[in-house]
Amino acid sequence: MKPRIILGIDPGTQISGYGLIQCEGKRMRLVHYGLIRLSKGNTPHPERLKKIFERINGLIQEFKPGEMALEAPFYGRNIQAMLKLGRAQGVAMAAGLVNDLPIYEYAPRKVKMAVTGNGNASKEQVAGMLEKLLNFEHDDKLLDATDALGVAVCHYFQGDLSSDKKSYKNWADYAKQKGL
């Protein structure tokens, strides 16, 4: 069986996390994880989005994942923040789509449940469980990155979804499945 490399993304407008795992049979191992830090201050939102796209595209070129798993935006009260978060998720998704990666989305509760068994787990609890699953020491400064690793691990736990209809191979696919 060929090893699978899964890229997990926790999109954000100020900090986006990413994590890559390699899976072979029932074994998972950490490949790489980190943060995309986006300047606050006077940096226009479109430039932040460009940085997300470029960094994720670079990760795809460097590590050659076969699948991308994204944390779906949660619903909040601040509409403007939700729109910005949706844009961050959109450019992350676009980076995967231009590289022909199938895209999968998972709700934050589903990721927490898959990793810890508790849909209300804290970021620290998720990081602690990932430490055990992937045999590494996490850094509390990288909790958005461990969240992204959690998305990749959640996707791995879902099994081989190559025939699942929740995957998006292009924008037309995405729009059709979302009823747009």
Side-chain angles (χ1 to χ4, degrees):
M1 174 180 276
K2 183 181 172 192
R4 293 167 60 195
I5 296 178
I6 301 170
L7 171 60
I9 302 289
D10 179 19
T13 57
Q14 293 181 9
I15 297 175
S16 287
Y18 62 86
L20 291 120
I21 61 171
Q22 181 177 2
C23 312
E24 196 164 3
K26 294 186 180 202
R27 295 182 47 207
M28 281 186 294
R29 76 169 182 85
L30 173 65
V31 174
H32 185 64
Y33 76 119
L35 299 173
I36 303 167
R37 294 186 188 277
L38 306 161
S39 326
K40 296 180 185 177
N42 296 331
T43 305
H45 189 65
E47 285 184 35
R48 292 184 199 181
L49 296 175
K50 180 181 178 194
K51 187 173 180 179
I52 293 169
F53 179 87
E54 289 173 344
R55 183 64 180 125
I56 293 174
N57 190 51
L59 290 166
I60 293 168
Q61 297 304 311
E62 182 177 354
F63 294 102
K64 309 281 189 241
E67 304 158 70
M68 177 189 280
L70 290 158
E71 184 170 276
F74 57 90
Y75 298 98
R77 293 181 186 180
N78 184 332
I79 302 290
Q80 288 301 316
M82 289 302 304
L83 286 170
K84 287 179 180 179
L85 186 57
R87 290 176 186 152
Q89 184 195 29
V91 297
M93 187 180 288
L97 291 170
V98 299
N99 286 284
D100 295 319
L101 292 182
I103 310 291
Y104 301 87
E105 293 180 274
Y106 298 97
R109 283 182 63 88
K110 181 164 187 150
V111 172
K112 292 173 183 179
M113 181 65 87
V115 173
T116 69
N118 175 3
N120 294 315
S122 68
K123 285 180 174 282
E124 292 81 9
Q125 289 170 314
V126 170
M129 184 57 78
L130 289 168
E131 214 173 49
K132 292 176 180 132
L133 290 169
L134 298 171
N135 195 27
F136 76 108
E137 287 187 39
H138 83 275
D139 179 344
D140 280 344
K141 295 176 186 167
L142 298 175
L143 290 176
D144 290 300
T146 52
D147 280 353
L149 278 174
V151 177
V153 168
C154 174
H155 178 65
Y156 167 71
F157 285 158
Q158 304 308 303
D160 182 6
L161 300 176
S162 56
S163 64
D164 188 345
K165 299 225 190 290
K166 297 253 184 211
S167 159
Y168 314 119
K169 295 223 182 239
N170 55 48
W171 285 111
D173 226 14
Y174 177 79
K176 181 179 176 186
Q177 289 184 39
K178 292 292 183 180
L180 304 175

